[in-house]
Amino acid sequence: MANNGSGSSLGPGGLDLTNTFFKPILNSDPPIPSNRCTKVSVIGVGNVGMAIAQTILTQDIADEIALVDSKPDKLRGEMLDLQHAAAFLPRTRITASVDYGVTAGSDLCIVTAGARQNPGESRLNLLQRNVALFRHIIPPLAKSSPDAILLIVSNPVDVLTYVAWKLSGFPVNRVLGSGTNLDSSRFRFLIADHLDVNAQDVQAFIVGEHGDSSVALWSSISVGGIPVLSFLEKQQIAYEKQTLEDIHQSVVGSAYEVISLKGYTSWAIGYSVANLAYTILRDQRKIHPVTVLARGFYGVEGGDVFLSLPALLGRNGVVAVTNVHMTDEESEKLQKSAKTILEMQSQLGL
């Protein structure tokens, strides 16, 4: 895409702020120019996969959607159900197959397939079964669409994004996970609900593991451009840290509550992933908290660990990681979250 001239400089002499706000992704390949139709493949046609496909379809994000699943009857049924709505939707070609050849030439491959936890099954055993499943999914995807971006939604998303990166051989900028993008949306909703404002006017991030060790970045929250905590302190308005922690715990427990009430989550993750697809495929260069290779960022060391950080996304996948403000306490919690994920990865033998 040609530069429109707005640039990233301020004032006479052109002070370049790009490298100040963002830290580039190392060893990434250059952007790929493309004038052809946009194709998205969704692997797994369960509740989450179909919510994603349906949202992408209604938002006119792709010219072609390919569906893949191991259950041929359900797969064909889902394809026909969407095709029969053609008169009410943007013109989109919808295909489906148990053969990964149907995904050939995809711009974006979204993986939602995953094994369900059996009663009494350990988290590690479930993870190992999902890794075995990914060995049958990722290599054929990478072979059929060598220039695609892989977006992992299957849980545990942080570890499985690492697995997808290893199995695909893709550069790190073209493998990411849905991470805490939805967690952050829930976070913004709860803050907006407390303040009675629109959630779109709230800037707030949950980072780290998509799970119990996630970190709420309270120090960088702003509403309408006003930093919340520093404003309260300046106005000498007291607040309790426990209140903040209760909001964070509500975010962590949100998915569990939905699952306990309806049996699964689907619509919110569908909108979340479709939003990521839009940002990537339309080269919107928006900042999303998604699962990326975190080594070297915010003091995270010890190995190739994937976890959620605020990242700048575009047509080439992960463009950069945002240098968002963190307190020492938040940084320590993030590094602890990274260690939690690394411990899980160390048991995979990849």
Side-chain angles (χ1 to χ4, degrees):
M1 180 178 291
N3 194 312
N4 62 11
S6 60
S8 58
S9 60
L10 291 176
L15 175 62
D16 190 352
L17 296 180
T18 302
N19 293 328
T20 302
F21 283 101
F22 303 107
K23 190 171 181 179
I25 296 293
L26 298 177
N27 303 320
S28 63
D29 53 358
I32 302 168
S34 174
N35 296 317
R36 60 184 176 80
C37 294
T38 301
K39 181 175 180 178
V40 174
S41 289
V42 178
I43 316 305
V45 296
N47 295 315
V48 171
M50 289 313 299
I52 292 169
Q54 190 265 352
T55 310
I56 287 174
L57 184 60
T58 56
Q59 293 185 1
D60 197 16
I61 295 172
D63 301 294
E64 180 177 354
I65 297 176
L67 305 175
V68 178
D69 199 279
S70 60
K71 299 177 181 178
D73 289 345
K74 176 172 174 54
L75 182 62
R76 178 168 171 77
E78 296 288 6
M79 178 191 71
L80 291 174
D81 211 7
L82 290 179
Q83 289 177 337
H84 295 168
F88 317 116
L89 294 167
R91 185 170 180 264
T92 304
R93 184 169 184 254
I94 303 168
T95 58
S97 177
V98 295
D99 188 334
Y100 284 88
V102 75
T103 67
S106 294
D107 298 284
L108 177 66
C109 295
I110 302 171
V111 181
T112 71
R116 290 190 176 185
Q117 190 166 14
N118 296 321
E121 183 179 25
S122 70
R123 190 180 185 190
L124 176 59
N125 192 67
L126 174 63
L127 176 58
Q128 289 172 336
R129 288 202 294 128
N130 275 318
V131 171
L133 183 63
F134 266 44
R135 291 185 188 277
H136 295 285
I137 293 174
I138 302 302
L141 275 181
K143 182 178 179 181
S144 297
S145 301
D147 296 324
I149 293 166
L150 292 180
L151 174 53
I152 309 303
V153 183
S154 311
N155 280 315
V157 66
D158 305 297
V159 178
L160 290 180
T161 303
Y162 165 79
V163 171
W165 174 57
K166 283 291 190 180
L167 294 175
S168 68
F170 282 6
V172 293
N173 61 298
R174 289 201 283 118
V175 183
L176 65 152
S178 54
T180 58
N181 194 54
L182 177 53
D183 305 67
S184 297
S185 175
R186 290 167 173 151
F187 193 34
R188 293 168 66 187
F189 161 74
L190 290 172
I191 294 169
D193 195 44
H194 273 71
L195 300 176
D196 195 23
V197 298
N198 192 309
Q200 293 185 357
D201 289 323
V202 178
Q203 293 296 316
F205 294 120
I206 300 285
V207 297
E209 179 195 16
H210 172 57
D212 295 341
S213 70
S214 64
V215 183
L217 298 185
W218 286 103
S219 65
S220 62
I221 290 175
S222 66
V223 177
I226 302 171
V228 173
L229 295 192
S230 60
F231 175 78
L232 293 177
E233 291 169 358
K234 186 176 181 180
Q235 298 296 317
Q236 297 184 337
I237 300 173
Y239 64 90
E240 294 186 4
K241 281 195 172 184
Q242 186 57 47
T243 302
L244 307 185
E245 183 57 29
D246 289 345
I247 294 175
H248 178 213
Q249 289 306 313
S250 295
V251 173
V252 174
S254 293
Y256 299 118
E257 182 181 9
V258 174
I259 291 169
S260 69
L261 293 170
K262 61 176 278 190
Y264 57 89
T265 61
S266 58
W267 295 117
I269 187 63
Y271 279 104
S272 173
V273 175
N275 187 238
L276 294 175
Y278 181 86
T279 293
I280 292 168
L281 296 173
R282 301 292 175 86
D283 199 26
Q284 292 297 293
R285 300 180 76 85
K286 288 177 63 179
I287 297 168
H288 294 269
V290 291
T291 304
V292 298
L293 181 61
R295 180 164 55 89
F297 296 106
Y298 300 105
V300 174
E301 300 294 347
D304 292 329
V305 60
F306 278 73
L307 51 72
S308 285
L309 294 173
L312 182 68
L313 304 183
R315 188 59 187 82
N316 207 38
V318 182
V319 179
V321 170
T322 311
N323 287 325
V324 68
H325 171 73
M326 288 190 198
T327 63
D328 290 342
E329 181 182 3
E330 289 167 345
S331 294
E332 289 173 6
K333 287 181 177 179
L334 178 64
Q335 291 160 25
K336 184 178 178 181
S337 185
K339 290 178 182 177
T340 299
I341 299 168
L342 275 169
E343 287 174 4
M344 293 178 65
Q345 287 182 187
S346 66
Q347 301 177 72
L348 299 179
L350 288 176

